[in-house]
Amino acid sequence: MSASPDYESMKIPELKEILRSRGLKVGGNKAELIDRLEGREIATSSSRKRKAGDGDTNEVHPSIDVSFASQVEREDVKTITIAPLRTKLKKFIRSFHKLVNEDWHDGYEGQEQVLQKILDDTIYPVYEAIINIADKGVGFQYCNEVLVVVADWWDEIHSIDVRFEYSEMRFSEELISEGYGLEVKKFNKAIAYMWGYILFGAVKNNIDQRVIYQIIADAKSFGWDEDEVFREFTYADDLKASQKRLENIINSNEWKICKGRKKAYSGKRVIDARFDGPLHKRKRDYHLKNAFGE
């Protein structure tokens, strides 16, 4: 079994060298280079075809189909374009980590508000765009790539220790899709429901089975619980057949020929600059006292 390249850990010159070896463009920032290598560049009409070797679980799914872009609203395409989305989320992680470091102990309310803002202003519109695109019966594979980016970001956020509960974060407004009875505000549930949403759509629209396998593998790697989704969704009669088909696909375990893309993140070091940072940033004077507080 071949290992999937960790492009995120590579430097830009290394990424460009790989692109040159494949005859691909080498312009753009790091996120754009990675998208090009992984076949997720929505601006292109087609991607490099991947070939699956014997026993290779990483290259089973076909190259990412971006032809759907001409069939949906331009604003939705713009909202879920992966390169700028990933760049924005990575930048947020750096700034959020810095914010937590500045005042871990007492600054948690402000930190929660900052996280709330990106959920409402960035992630909520992404989910709405995915619903709009999936409702047109297209773009399921690309929407899965977007969900992998969002789920990976959420996992990395969890590596930053805070004094509020990540599990209690929710959107300010309910995420609604009448077709599948989807009504949810809690963020952890929303991402699970989004994977269910695109899987139901992919099965209903008879998408390539290998694409469905990859979506299941990715969702499962991030802890997706299909039973919870099946319980919570309400279905019109025409969706019940799709539900049964999806259950059969999952239970067959054939999707395991694909590999989920969840990464492991170790906890980021967090300090409280008021206590442990540079002296000029400390707001308490306990470091000037001796062991007896004198």
Side-chain angles (χ1 to χ4, degrees), residues 128-152:
E128 282 193 317
I130 288 175
I131 289 173
N132 292 340
I133 292 169
D135 282 349
K136 293 183 180 295
V138 296
F140 300 104
Q141 189 181 22
Y142 192 87
C143 288
N144 178 59
E145 298 299 312
V146 176
L147 288 180
V148 168
V149 169
V150 173
D152 180 69

Side-chain angles (χ1 to χ4, degrees), residues 111-255:
Q111 295 153 17
E112 186 174 7
Q113 291 171 4
V114 169
L115 184 56
Q116 182 69 57
K117 181 172 175 56
I118 196 169
L119 291 182
D120 289 337
D121 294 352
T122 300
I123 307 301
Y124 188 92
V126 165
Y127 285 2
E128 282 193 317
I130 288 175
I131 289 173
N132 292 340
I133 292 169
D135 282 349
K136 293 183 180 295
V138 296
F140 300 104
Q141 189 181 22
Y142 192 87
C143 288
N144 178 59
E145 298 299 312
V146 176
L147 288 180
V148 168
V149 169
V150 173
D152 180 69
W153 167 77
W154 190 236
D155 274 4
E156 190 170 2
I157 283 289
H158 276 70
S159 70
I160 303 173
D161 181 38
V162 294
R163 290 193 64 205
F164 60 89
E165 295 293 333
Y166 286 123
S167 60
E168 294 302 315
M169 296 301 299
R170 47 186 80 223
F171 294 122
S172 295
E173 296 183 15
E174 207 158 39
L175 190 67
I176 298 175
S177 172
E178 295 180 358
Y180 290 13
L182 175 66
E183 295 182 7
V184 62
K185 289 181 75 173
K186 200 167 184 178
F187 185 74
N188 283 347
K189 276 193 173 184
I191 194 165
Y193 288 7
M194 292 309 299
W195 256 310
Y197 201 88
I198 62 173
L199 275 168
F200 267 87
V203 170
K204 179 183 177 182
N205 288 276
N206 296 311
I207 301 302
D208 186 335
Q209 195 93 324
R210 294 170 300 168
V211 172
I212 295 174
Y213 289 166
Q214 186 61 53
I215 298 174
I216 295 172
D218 285 327
K220 286 283 196 178
S221 72
F222 283 98
W224 184 64
D225 180 0
E226 70 273 13
D227 290 334
E228 179 184 5
V229 173
F230 292 159
R231 284 195 305 270
E232 296 289 340
F233 275 30
T234 57
Y235 314 108
D237 289 340
D238 64 333
L239 290 176
K240 291 180 179 178
S242 297
Q243 178 192 358
K244 187 63 178 177
R245 280 187 59 203
L246 180 55
E247 287 177 335
N248 290 338
I249 292 170
I250 294 172
N251 292 335
S252 74
N253 288 325
E254 292 180 2
W255 55 269

Side-chain angles (χ1 to χ4, degrees), residues 83-121:
L85 176 63
R86 182 196 282 119
T87 298
K88 183 174 185 176
L89 296 181
K90 287 292 185 182
K91 183 178 180 181
F92 177 85
I93 288 173
R94 292 192 295 271
S95 63
F96 186 68
H97 188 200
K98 181 179 179 181
L99 181 66
V100 173
N101 274 339
E102 288 175 351
D103 190 354
W104 177 86
H105 191 273
D106 294 331
Y108 61 94
E109 290 183 348
Q111 295 153 17
E112 186 174 7
Q113 291 171 4
V114 169
L115 184 56
Q116 182 69 57
K117 181 172 175 56
I118 196 169
L119 291 182
D120 289 337
D121 294 352

